[in-house]
Amino acid sequence: MMNINQLIELYAQTPTHFANIFSTTLASKSACPIRNINPKMNYFLFPLKGQAKISIEDIQYAAQSNHILHVGPHTECYITVTSVQPFQYVVLSYEVLGEENVLPHHYSYEVDDVARCTHFITHMLQLAQTPGSYARLQSQTLFMQFLEEFLVSAKRKKMTPKSEVVSFAVAYMHEHYAEDLSIAQLAERVGVERRRFSELFEATIGMNPSQYLMELRIKKAKEQLRTCECSVAEVGENVGYYDCFYFS
C-alpha cells in the first residue's frame, strides 16, 4: 500500500472535483459486485453500519466503521457482507480533472476520528437532496474538507513513538526556526542519532529535515517581506539566515 505521505503529496498535486454521493444497504450475508468504468472517476466507499469484506484484484479489505476504501477507474470490487446486520455504506465519487489519473487504483486506510469524517459525509448526503448550484458549491467544499480530514486522520492513526519524535522535532522547528538551528542539534535534542533521525523524519514527513527547515524559513521570509519594510538582509536574519549573501 502507498505510503500515506506519498498519497498526501499526490492529492496536493492532483486537481479533483466532487461528482456524486449516495447511500445504499446490502442485506446480511449477501454479496454484490461494483464496477467503475469511468476513466477519470474515483470513489470512496465509506461504511456506516455493519461489516463486509471487499475483494479487489485478489486483495481483501475489511469494510467497517473506521476503515475507508478508495477505488479508482476500471476497477471492479466484490462486496460480501459478513455481519449479521445489514451493511450500510456510502459511495462518494469524484473526478480527476487532469489528463491522467495518477492516483492509486485501490487502497484502504484506518482513521482515528471516524466521527469527524462521518460529519462531512452526512452533510454531503443532505446536500445531495438539495437542487441548485449553491448546494453543489457547498458539496465541493465539504468534499475537500472530508479529503483533508481523511488523510490527516489516517496519518495520525499510523503514528508511532518514532512518529512522535518527528512531531516534536517539527514543533521545535516552528518555534526556533529563527535561531542558528542545525539538524545535528535537532537530532541531539530528540535523542536520536543524526542519520537515523533524518531517515525517520523523511519516512514520516515526506522530505528530509534540512529541506523542511529551509522551506519553513522561506515561507516565513515571504510573509515578512509582504508585511514589513525590512531589508532582505534583516528578513534573512529574522528567519535564521545570518549570511545575507546565502539568503539572497
Side-chain angles (χ1 to χ4, degrees):
M1 184 168 60
M2 177 173 284
N3 179 283
I4 186 66
N5 293 308
Q6 295 173 321
L7 189 62
I8 290 171
E9 182 66 24
L10 269 182
Y11 275 108
Q13 298 175 1
T14 305
T16 58
H17 185 75
F18 168 80
N20 191 24
I21 186 170
F22 64 88
S23 173
T24 190
T25 303
L26 294 178
S28 174
K29 307 302 179 182
S30 64
C32 176
I34 300 178
R35 188 177 185 187
N36 181 12
I37 60 173
N38 189 315
K40 290 192 175 183
M41 199 66 70
N42 300 261
Y43 67 84
F44 288 102
L45 196 152
F46 188 90
L48 293 176
K49 294 179 182 179
Q51 297 180 356
K53 290 188 301 184
I54 301 179
S55 301
I56 305 177
E57 299 174 350
D58 297 325
I59 299 176
Q60 284 197 345
Y61 294 101
Q64 52 196 42
S65 63
N66 58 341
H67 288 75
I68 300 176
L69 173 69
H70 180 273
V71 181
H74 303 300
T75 304
E76 184 172 4
C77 65
Y78 198 80
I79 304 176
T80 304
V81 181
T82 56
S83 56
V84 294
Q85 66 181 129
F87 177 58
Q88 182 182 7
Y89 63 96
V90 170
V91 175
L92 168 58
S93 58
Y94 68 96
E95 184 179 2
V96 170
L97 301 181
E99 293 183 1
E100 183 181 359
N101 190 339
V102 296
L103 298 175
H105 275 212
H106 54 90
Y107 61 83
S108 176
Y109 278 102
E110 186 178 2
V111 296
D112 73 341
D113 192 353
V114 69
R116 184 154 173 80
C117 292
T118 304
H119 165 76
F120 294 121
I121 290 290
T122 303
H123 200 166
M124 280 187 280
L125 283 170
Q126 293 170 348
L127 285 170
Q129 308 303 316
T130 306
S133 12
Y134 183 60
R136 294 286 299 175
L137 177 61
Q138 287 181 296
S139 295
Q140 173 65 22
T141 302
L142 286 166
F143 167 69
M144 296 306 298
Q145 291 174 331
F146 163 79
L147 183 59
E148 178 185 8
E149 180 60 35
F150 160 61
L151 293 169
V152 170
S153 189
K155 184 171 182 174
R156 284 196 305 263
K157 187 66 179 179
K158 284 190 167 292
M159 287 191 71
T160 64
K162 294 177 183 178
S163 301
E164 291 172 6
V165 164
V166 174
S167 295
F168 176 85
V170 168
Y172 192 87
M173 285 186 194
H174 279 259
E175 291 179 11
H176 300 276
Y177 66 87
E179 301 172 11
D180 187 14
L181 183 63
S182 71
I183 305 308
Q185 290 171 328
L186 270 173
E188 183 179 358
R189 181 163 288 273
V190 298
V192 179
E193 188 270 329
R194 177 177 175 172
R195 179 175 296 179
R196 179 59 178 155
F197 169 69
S198 295
E199 291 173 352
L200 288 174
F201 195 98
E202 186 163 2
T204 305
I205 301 297
M207 64 177 73
N208 64 53
S210 297
Q211 184 181 1
Y212 186 92
L213 181 59
M214 180 185 69
E215 291 193 9
L216 174 63
R217 283 171 166 167
I218 290 174
K219 180 179 178 181
K220 295 295 184 180
K222 288 179 178 178
E223 290 175 0
Q224 289 193 29
L225 288 170
R226 285 196 303 266
T227 58
C228 76
E229 297 181 356
C230 303
S231 68
V232 171
E234 289 172 328
V235 169
E237 290 185 6
N238 291 342
V239 299
Y241 289 114
Y242 298 97
D243 185 338
C244 62
F245 295 102
Y246 176 79
F247 177 68
S248 59

